[in-house]
Amino acid sequence: MGPLDVSKAPEADKLTDMELDLCSTLRLLPAHYLVIRDTIVRESIRLGYLSAVDANALLSIDIRKTGRLYDFFVSAGWVTQQPSAAVDKKK
């Protein structure tokens, strides 16, 4: 299956071009993406960070999609990754 055209889907006007591309590639409707983004970002804020494992536990979607979404949210600066054990040992 190829990319999904989400440009005219409900809620598409609320996404950036990069988010639309991600939705298209992952075959996610924008409305579903917004729920996922809200869930992941809120949990990251609540905990102060969020690991990829935590993100997987929050979502009931394919683990590969969750990983791609998690990486996107981290690169966008919306999610703070869990501090690594190596960083903690240096303190």
Side-chain angles (χ1 to χ4, degrees):
M1 283 192 279
L4 176 68
D5 181 11
V6 296
S7 60
K8 294 182 178 36
E11 310 289 336
D13 58 322
K14 296 181 180 177
L15 304 183
T16 66
D17 288 341
M18 288 179 62
E19 289 175 303
L20 285 171
D21 287 345
L22 182 65
C23 286
S24 177
T25 300
L26 297 179
R27 303 184 60 77
L28 281 174
L29 293 174
H32 295 155
Y33 167 81
L34 287 169
V35 171
I36 291 167
R37 185 183 72 185
D38 184 58
T39 300
I40 296 296
V41 171
R42 283 180 185 264
E43 191 67 4
S44 176
I45 291 168
R46 186 180 76 79
L47 295 174
Y49 64 85
L50 194 71
S51 71
V53 173
D54 293 334
N56 286 329
L58 289 171
L59 304 176
S60 298
I61 62 172
D62 184 280
I63 192 168
R64 292 169 294 209
K65 285 185 183 183
T66 303
R68 292 277 305 274
L69 291 163
Y70 177 81
D71 290 344
F72 179 80
F73 298 148
V74 168
S75 69
W78 300 332
V79 170
T80 302
Q81 288 181 300
Q82 180 177 9
S84 69
V87 173
D88 291 338
K89 290 179 183 178
K90 291 180 182 179
K91 290 183 180 181

